[in-house]
Amino acid sequence: MSLEKTFELSARGSNVRQEIIAGLTTFLAMVYSVIVVPNMLGTAGFPAESVFIATCLVSGLGSILIGLWANAPMAIGCAISLTAFTAFSLVLGQQVSIPVALGAVFLMGLFFTLISATGIRSWILRNLPASIAHGTGIGIGLFLLLIATGGVGIVKASGTSTLVALGDFTAFPVLMSLIGLALIIGLEKLQVKGAILWVIIAITIIGLIVDPNVKFSGEVFKMPTFGEQSLFLALDIQGALQPAILPVVFALVMTAVFDATGTIRAVAGQGNLLDKDGQIINGGKALTSDSVSSLMSGVFGTAPAAVYIESAAGTAAGGKTGITAIVVGIGFLLMLFFQPLATLVPNYATAPALMYVGLLMLSNVSKLDFNDFVGAISGLVCAVFIVLTANIVTGIMLGFATLVIGRIVSGDVKNLNLGTVLIAIALVAFYAFGWAI
């Protein structure tokens, strides 16, 4: 009864078993982050062992926070895009020291939280036109497809004007990914509960049997430690307040506001977590949860955090409440003790889940109102440029700009509100002045 009352299970049409399966599905779909983030930051000189522990803590505590406080089936982790920026642009490119970089991450989290807590971020969300919101969902779906298929070699860079081409169709990861996608589609049609999870587990077992690259070392348990080169509380906030670093903090904040906000809106739409006015249920709490998690990133010593689009794998598996997020959080906290297992699930086991979710998110096309031609096409501009530029914020910026200019030129100014115009101007200026990541 306590779980029922706290998480509104019946009201949202769910149950504990369904939520646990959804949580495990999301966890398996995004557990790759505890491998990718330490590797990327390690390239820039961050101690990988410390970053692994920090990444697990941020993902675990952040996901539990959003689950308990916002009752949302969304999981939080270290954002891959902001990880890349921290490692390759900030530390390697601008030669910023690691403590100062962590100070910048902390300040970004602080400003991000203030924007979220004061309602500015909710105001942005309320002024996000429906067409741009749907376009963001479509674009993220396409982006997921590109990431998943490229990661396992289904598509590859062609080196010609076509940009991409079919990879080695007979390669084991490619075949497993495509078969896995077909299995998920078939099982979902049969309404098999937890279909995505079962396919991930099945392909991992096959990989252990057949693929020599998927190895079980025999070591399962390892006590968590930040290691000798701990980054816990190693942040330099004073150094991050230097005039040369503040534009970086601003770029991180602006990117996080629109990237993470667009992701939360897309996941909420995918999971039918919108109220009668089209707003995210407990949206303010969800928005603040992921910004607070970036504060943890600076303290523990890793990259900025955000809600993961892989959360949509859990909503597709039936996740509707915060229990899903809490299960994900517990999974990441358990990973602290099972570091040797971090590399066990191969990427071709999770790729089918990401491809399936990406395909599901393309259904947002049907939500575009083509009777409003300017709005619908602006949504498509947003979607297409998210995947063409591999940047969610760039797509949103071009979608907003197209919408505002299109409405003015077509004489449809009455369908513009001041909030939309102000956001469009801010986004265009963000790029025009070279602050974009």
Side-chain angles (χ1 to χ4, degrees):
M1 290 299 293
S2 177
L3 288 176
E4 168 63 36
K5 182 178 180 180
T6 302
F7 296 101
E8 304 173 347
L9 286 165
S10 297
R12 297 193 183 186
S14 187
N15 56 65
V16 174
R17 178 180 179 275
Q18 182 172 306
E19 294 294 315
I20 292 174
I21 289 175
L24 290 173
T25 301
T26 297
F27 172 72
L28 288 175
M30 63 180 284
V31 71
Y32 69 88
S33 64
V34 301
I35 303 168
V36 174
V37 172
N39 285 346
M40 291 174 72
L41 292 179
T43 303
F46 287 71
E49 187 175 11
S50 180
V51 173
F52 173 85
I53 298 299
T55 302
C56 288
L57 286 171
V58 169
S59 302
L61 297 176
S63 296
I64 290 172
L65 174 64
I66 197 171
L68 285 174
W69 193 33
N71 194 20
M74 302 175 189
I76 289 174
C78 296
I80 300 301
S81 59
L82 296 180
T83 300
F85 175 78
T86 303
F88 302 116
S89 179
L90 190 55
V91 177
L92 291 178
Q94 300 184 39
Q95 297 296 301
V96 173
S97 70
I98 290 174
V100 171
L102 292 177
V105 170
F106 181 84
L107 288 178
M108 168 266 183
L110 180 62
F111 293 139
F112 197 19
T113 300
L114 290 174
I115 289 172
S116 300
T118 56
I120 296 174
R121 196 172 168 199
S122 294
W123 175 83
I124 292 172
L125 195 59
R126 286 195 302 273
N127 285 280
L128 184 65
S131 59
I132 303 299
H134 296 321
T136 303
I138 298 165
I140 291 175
L142 289 168
F143 195 22
L144 271 180
L145 283 166
L146 183 62
I147 292 172
T149 54
V152 295
I154 297 175
V155 297
K156 63 178 182 180
S158 67
T160 68
S161 59
T162 61
L163 300 181
V164 294
L166 179 68
D168 183 359
F169 182 73
T170 60
F172 182 73
V174 172
L175 291 176
M176 284 292 96
S177 299
L178 293 174
I179 291 171
L181 175 62
L183 286 172
I184 290 174
I185 293 171
L187 293 173
E188 287 289 339
K189 169 64 177 176
L190 295 173
Q191 298 184 340
V192 175
K193 294 293 184 181
I196 297 174
L197 175 62
W198 302 130
V199 170
I200 291 174
I201 292 173
I203 293 178
T204 300
I205 293 172
I206 293 172
L208 283 169
I209 297 171
V210 176
D211 187 355
N213 294 315
V214 181
K215 300 176 182 178
F216 176 52
S217 63
E219 185 181 13
V220 176
F221 179 82
K222 181 180 180 182
M223 286 299 293
T225 172
F226 281 101
E228 296 180 1
Q229 297 176 292
S230 172
L231 293 178
F232 178 61
L233 291 177
L235 66 168
D236 181 359
I237 298 176
Q238 185 174 352
L241 288 171
Q242 299 175 49
I245 304 298
L246 286 177
V248 171
V249 176
F250 177 69
L252 284 168
V253 171
M254 285 293 289
T255 300
V257 165
F258 285 94
D259 192 329
T261 302
T263 299
I264 287 176
R265 178 59 175 77
V267 172
Q270 183 68 33
N272 295 318
L273 298 173
L274 306 176
D275 60 23
K276 56 183 176 59
D277 298 320
Q279 299 301 314
I280 300 171
I281 298 171
N282 292 334
K285 292 179 179 179
L287 295 171
T288 305
S289 296
D290 76 335
S291 60
V292 168
S293 298
S294 284
L295 285 170
M296 299 183 202
S297 295
V299 171
F300 290 131
T302 186
V307 168
Y308 259 50
I309 190 57
E310 284 84 353
S311 301
T315 57
K320 298 180 184 296
T321 77
I323 295 176
T324 294
I326 292 170
V327 170
V328 175
I330 292 172
F332 276 109
L333 293 181
L334 288 175
M335 284 302 297
L336 289 168
F337 301 92
F338 297 95
Q339 187 174 358
L341 297 179
T343 58
L344 186 59
V345 179
N347 62 345
Y348 55 78
T350 56
L354 299 184
M355 288 190 286
Y356 176 68
V357 171
L359 291 169
L360 281 183
M361 298 189 76
L362 298 186
S363 65
N364 280 283
V365 171
S366 66
K367 299 176 184 177
L368 291 173
D369 180 10
F370 282 90
N371 290 320
D372 174 14
F373 183 76
V374 173
I377 297 301
S378 298
L380 291 178
V381 167
C382 173
V384 169
F385 279 95
I386 282 176
V387 68
L388 289 181
T389 63
N391 190 306
I392 295 172
V393 183
T394 301
I396 292 174
M397 182 272 290
L398 291 172
F400 263 99
T402 302
L403 180 68
V404 171
I405 295 172
R407 293 220 188 279
I408 292 173
V409 171
S410 65
D412 193 21
V413 180
K414 66 180 184 297
N415 283 322
L416 277 178
N417 62 55
L418 180 60
T420 299
V421 174
L422 291 176
I423 292 171
I425 292 172
L427 282 171
V428 171
F430 182 53
Y431 277 78
F433 288 104
W435 294 326
I437 294 175

